[in-house]
Amino acid sequence: MGTAFATASGGTTSAAEARAAWKGIPTLNSGGVQFKDAKYKFEPAHPNPNKGAFHWKGNLRDADHGDGHNVYVQVRVEGYDWSRFNGKQKKTVWLDKLSYDGAALHTDDAWIRACRDRGSLRPDNCSVTKAYHR
């Protein structure tokens, strides 16, 4: 049996649905990059076409148009290396992505950060890494 929660509209939601509600990600900043207005949720495992994924979305912004560098978001889920999602130079782009382990029923742990690609001769600079647990 699942636990039900009352909603503002008078209906009820299951415990799994309540856990899957969108939660805010604080603005991730580092020199030249900003990931803002961001949210995340852990999708339910079953029955859901989103595979129990870490679902995240937000605006990735090139915060320094004059530096000539691109920006990206990196996301990592348990058991895997970082995945990179590119932005565009001199623009803000909306990203809405699912990150998951296809071999697992659902993702329990995820990490996210925003970075500026400074080329091959200098290391990239990244925001603090935020960790989330289902």
Side-chain angles (χ1 to χ4, degrees):
M1 291 290 169
T3 304
F5 297 95
T7 63
S9 62
T12 60
T13 58
S14 70
E17 289 170 329
R19 285 191 303 272
W22 288 103
K23 298 170 185 75
I25 297 174
T27 298
L28 303 176
N29 285 301
S30 187
V33 62
Q34 188 177 60
F35 187 56
K36 61 184 188 166
D37 306 320
K39 297 177 181 180
Y40 79 95
K41 70 177 177 176
F42 285 97
E43 295 286 352
H46 224 335
N48 189 326
N50 292 333
K51 303 174 174 85
F54 176 65
H55 191 169
W56 56 274
K57 59 186 176 180
N59 287 300
L60 177 61
R61 178 176 171 252
D62 180 354
D64 185 352
H65 293 185
D67 68 2
H69 298 297
N70 200 1
V71 295
Y72 59 94
V73 170
Q74 280 189 318
V75 177
R76 185 169 97 71
V77 296
E78 58 195 299
Y80 288 86
D81 205 358
W82 292 99
S83 295
R84 180 175 167 149
F85 302 89
N86 289 323
K88 295 194 186 284
Q89 287 185 19
K90 301 180 183 180
K91 296 192 184 288
T92 298
V93 296
W94 174 255
L95 297 174
D96 185 345
K97 303 291 183 179
L98 298 167
S99 299
Y100 60 92
D101 172 358
L105 181 61
H106 64 266
T107 299
D108 283 324
D109 296 296
W111 297 263
I112 188 167
R113 64 186 175 200
C115 303
R116 176 174 57 165
D117 185 342
R118 297 185 349 139
S120 58
L121 299 178
R122 294 187 293 178
D124 296 353
N125 59 286
C126 296
S127 69
V128 297
T129 300
K130 293 302 218 177
Y132 297 102
H133 182 75
R134 179 180 297 269

